[in-house]
Amino acid sequence: MDSEGLSQLLSPTGWALLSALPPYDETRTMALSERLREEGLDPVLVAAALTQSRLRAKAVAKFGDFAGGMLFTGPGLEQATRLNVAAHHARRFRDAGSTRVADLTCGIGADAMAFAGIGLRVLATDVDEATAAIATVNLRHFPDAEVRHGDGLALDLEGEGIDGVYADPARRTSSGSRVFDPSAYEPALDRVLELRERVPALGLKLGPGIPHSALPLDAHAQWVSVDGDVVELGLWFGPLAPEGSGRSALVLRDGQAHTILASNPDGIYRPASGAVGAYLYEPDGAVIRAGLVGELADQVRGRLVDPTIAYVTSDVLTPVPTATAYRVLDTMPFGLKRLKTYLRERDVGRLTIKKRGTAVVPEQLRRQLDLQGSAFATIILTRVAGSQQVLVVEAA
């Protein structure tokens, strides 16, 4: 958002317009824009208000009812932490005894809102002036939250009485492409990590794809998923990591939180592998990213279908919230002719295809199968003890 559009939005006229807009409907946006301009409203204000209306509608997935009273930028919304995840961040600071937290890269203020919402005093900064102004709006209901435009790394943490530090370094370029090198984050990861020498209670939000080898040995690394979508990697240090160094997965599903801790913080634990049993478990993505498939296998009294594949099989059903369980109906070596005949004999016309550890392209396979029936089936293509197999399954 440019400064002129933001300035007009924050005027009494702009705020009133934004509050009066109907629920966002893309099919009516053009007509609504023309009508508002015909009524004499500045085109810059109209464009800014309709953009906010669109972003607020999109933000409901992350912020729920709070989205209707917030301001956003497109990139800021994309990188913003979901409020239910931010609440877990905030509780770490509260439980560690922090009272004044510096959010060095506050963006639109999502995490700062969660910190302030549980009574922490917050000093939030952002290097972008418009983004800092938007964060100020979003934090307006919290008197103990202060937003400053500036470089968070330049803060006098000791002089400000900061006893907890949080940062979410930018991981996209100005053109929107992803940045994978931690030294190219803004600010660079190493520069932020240096702060734990000054304030031990340091927390970081990073992208979940960062390799384990790039993580500091003294960090507790926690991969987080929300309803099956892996959303972040949190790095927690000092009193923010009561679990100690190591790895965990936090699975947030249907309003509940579930955690798996690494049994071997120094490496990936891999249980035995073996033949497919009566049940197959598909681990949540956070469990896979954290390298905790072995721990999951122990929980369900299972084994890997293959030493290199993140599917677990078991002879017994042990429902767990960190994996999806399937009942195995049939298994067969993979072959197009064999599979096509099998599905035709069972009148299958609707097919869900899952895969792991195979080069098969599901949509291409679906076309080759030329399904004509009325029944529904789910198949999983994977390696079992090194050979390509088809598992026919149903939800357990």
Side-chain angles (χ1 to χ4, degrees), residues 23-86:
Y24 181 75
D25 183 343
E26 185 177 1
T27 64
R28 299 182 178 182
T29 298
M30 185 67 71
L32 179 58
S33 174
E34 292 176 356
R35 179 173 65 80
L36 292 173
R37 291 198 303 269
E38 289 173 357
E39 292 176 358
L41 292 174
D42 190 315
V44 173
L45 171 58
V46 171
L50 291 177
T51 296
Q52 285 303 309
S53 179
R54 174 178 57 82
L55 291 174
R56 281 179 169 183
K58 186 178 180 181
V60 170
K62 285 189 174 184
F63 296 95
D65 292 341
F66 288 97
M70 298 174 65
L71 293 183
F72 301 96
T73 65
L77 174 57
E78 183 174 351
Q79 187 162 334
T81 305
R82 291 163 171 80
L83 277 188
N84 59 340
V85 178

Side-chain angles (χ1 to χ4, degrees), residues 62-310:
K62 285 189 174 184
F63 296 95
D65 292 341
F66 288 97
M70 298 174 65
L71 293 183
F72 301 96
T73 65
L77 174 57
E78 183 174 351
Q79 187 162 334
T81 305
R82 291 163 171 80
L83 277 188
N84 59 340
V85 178
H88 283 270
H89 299 168
R91 282 194 286 270
R92 283 189 180 268
F93 284 98
R94 181 197 62 192
D95 294 348
S98 296
T99 58
R100 182 162 167 78
V101 177
D103 184 346
L104 305 184
T105 55
C106 70
I108 62 171
D111 280 290
M113 288 171 61
F115 299 154
I118 63 169
L120 298 173
R121 292 182 296 132
V122 180
L123 174 55
T125 65
D126 200 276
V127 294
D128 181 74
E129 185 175 9
T131 301
I134 287 173
T136 301
V137 173
N138 293 338
L139 286 159
R140 65 192 182 280
H141 298 301
F142 302 101
D144 288 331
E146 177 188 357
V147 180
R148 297 181 191 171
H149 167 222
D151 181 0
L153 291 180
L155 285 176
D156 178 4
L157 300 175
E158 297 81 2
E160 297 280 1
I162 300 298
D163 55 12
V165 173
Y166 178 80
D168 178 5
R171 297 177 295 280
R172 288 187 180 274
T173 65
S174 57
S175 63
S177 59
R178 291 185 182 275
V179 173
F180 296 100
D181 180 3
S183 66
Y185 292 171
E186 186 56 49
L189 180 57
D190 285 345
R191 293 186 64 203
V192 181
L193 290 175
E194 291 173 357
L195 297 178
R196 67 191 190 279
E197 301 299 324
R198 298 165 57 191
V199 181
L202 172 66
L204 298 176
K205 172 187 169 184
L206 303 177
I210 189 169
H212 289 202
S213 59
L215 303 178
L217 296 179
D218 59 333
H220 182 82
Q222 184 172 76
W223 283 260
V224 182
S225 69
V226 179
D227 294 327
D229 181 21
V230 184
V231 297
E232 69 170 56
L233 164 63
L235 292 186
W236 305 102
F237 298 89
L240 299 179
E243 311 95 328
S245 60
R247 293 167 287 111
S248 67
L250 174 62
V251 176
L252 304 177
R253 188 182 295 275
D254 299 327
Q256 301 294 316
H258 313 276
T259 304
I260 295 184
L261 287 168
S263 58
N264 177 16
D266 298 323
I268 303 297
Y269 164 54
R270 297 192 183 280
S273 58
V276 176
Y279 298 94
L280 187 82
Y281 296 85
E282 182 178 22
D284 182 271
V287 175
I288 296 173
R289 293 278 188 147
L292 301 177
V293 176
E295 283 76 0
L296 172 67
D298 282 350
Q299 288 184 0
V300 300
R301 293 178 283 172
R303 55 197 175 270
L304 300 178
V305 299
D306 185 276
T308 62
I309 301 296

